């Protein structure tokens, strides 16, 4: 009984020590996301927003609206009673607002330009690859045309065939004329030399 108690006690101690150990992270499961103090945002969405703002800042509509707001601001702070004015004559608040707007507009415009530069770089790379493919295709077609020209140099042309046919026709006419002349003198020779007899037989 005492031996069984000791064995049970050792098992419980071993289990307690195993439970007290920190569990190693499992390799077959992804790590849990870490908590970050800085909030996360989608850089692509922020870049698209900056491009929209930069496009709006570069339009005449923005200039017209900004001019209208500045004129209304100045007229309000000059013409209304002092109790309703919120920015007196030096217009310090207006200056600060315009400075704040410019300080935000400059980085947004730079970010939009960087994104446009990235797109231009990708387009230039694609154009370069397309030009390389076009040059390779042109060189291949040039080699093929040169091979066809070399092959056509060994093929009988229409003029050569015509000249050969004309030579054959002339040769046939010459042979036919010679054959006619030979047959034209042959009957006379037959009269002088009857068939079946030679000159020596006379």
């Amino acid at each position: 009984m005492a031996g069984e108690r000791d064995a049970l006690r050792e098992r419980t101690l071993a289990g307690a020590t195993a439970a007290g150990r920190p569990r190693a992270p499992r390799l077959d499961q992804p790590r849990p996301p870490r908590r970050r103090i800085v909030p996360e945002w989608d850089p692509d969405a922020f870049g698209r927003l900056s491009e929209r703002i930069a496009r709006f800042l570069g339009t005449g509509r923005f200039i017209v609206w900004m001019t209208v707001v500045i004129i209304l601001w100045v007229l309000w702070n000059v013409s209304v009673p002092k109790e309703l004015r919120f920015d007196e004559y030096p217009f310090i608040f207006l200056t600060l607002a315009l400075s704040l707007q410019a300080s935000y507009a400059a980085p947004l415009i730079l970010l939009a330009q960087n994104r446009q530069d990235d797109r231009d770089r990708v387009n230039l790379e694609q154009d370069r690859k397309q030009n390389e493919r076009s040059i390779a295709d042109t060189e291949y077609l040039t080699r093929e045309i040169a091979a066809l020209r070399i092959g056509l140099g060994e093929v009988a042309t229409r003029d050569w065939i015509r000249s050969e046919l004309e030579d054959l026709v002339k040769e046939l006419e010459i042979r036919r004329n010679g054959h006619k002349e030979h047959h034209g003198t042959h009957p006379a020779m037959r009269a002088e030399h009857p068939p079946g007899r030679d000159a020596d037989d006379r």
Side-chain angles (χ1 to χ4, degrees):
M1 295 293 290
E4 292 178 358
R5 288 178 183 175
D6 294 336
L8 184 60
R9 187 178 298 168
E10 289 177 1
R11 287 178 188 172
T12 54
L13 289 174
T17 55
R21 291 178 186 171
R23 295 182 64 184
R26 295 183 59 176
L27 298 177
D28 60 341
Q29 293 181 354
R31 291 183 178 180
R34 296 179 180 178
R35 295 181 180 178
R36 295 184 179 181
I37 301 173
V38 180
E40 296 182 2
W41 66 87
D42 186 8
D44 194 22
F46 186 74
R48 289 195 297 269
L49 177 63
S50 67
E51 285 182 345
R52 290 178 183 174
I53 296 172
R55 287 193 187 98
F56 178 69
L57 292 177
T59 59
R61 184 184 300 175
F62 170 74
I63 296 172
V64 170
W65 281 108
M66 188 174 68
T67 305
V68 170
V69 169
I70 291 173
I71 291 172
L72 292 175
W73 187 300
V74 172
L75 289 177
W76 180 272
N77 290 294
V78 170
S79 60
V80 299
K82 289 186 178 182
E83 293 82 9
L84 298 176
R85 296 177 187 176
F86 57 89
D87 193 12
E88 291 294 333
Y89 163 66
F91 305 119
I92 298 174
F93 187 46
L94 178 62
T95 305
L96 290 175
L98 293 176
S99 300
L100 182 65
Q101 180 262 330
S103 64
Y104 271 97
L108 290 174
I109 292 171
L110 289 175
L111 181 58
Q113 287 179 351
N114 290 335
R115 285 173 59 86
Q116 185 64 38
D117 291 340
D118 293 339
R119 281 196 297 269
D120 292 341
R121 192 178 300 109
V122 172
N123 291 332
L124 287 174
E125 185 67 21
Q126 291 178 354
D127 292 341
R128 186 182 64 81
K129 291 180 180 179
Q130 183 67 31
N131 290 334
E132 288 178 356
R133 286 194 294 267
S134 299
I135 291 171
D137 293 340
T138 305
E139 291 177 354
Y140 173 75
L141 291 175
T142 304
R143 289 193 297 270
E144 290 295 320
I145 291 171
L148 287 174
R149 285 181 177 176
I150 293 171
L152 286 174
E154 299 175 357
V155 176
T157 60
R158 184 175 59 183
D159 296 334
W160 182 81
I161 293 173
R162 183 179 296 171
S163 64
E164 290 292 323
L165 288 175
E166 288 176 355
D167 292 341
L168 286 174
V169 169
K170 288 179 182 178
E171 186 177 351
L172 288 173
E173 288 179 354
I174 291 171
R175 285 184 181 181
R176 187 177 62 183
N177 293 334
H179 191 62
K180 283 182 179 178
E181 290 176 359
H182 182 68
H183 280 285
T185 57
H186 191 66
M189 291 174 65
R190 280 182 179 178
E192 294 176 1
H193 301 283
R197 292 184 179 183
D198 292 333
D200 297 332
D201 292 338
R202 290 182 183 179

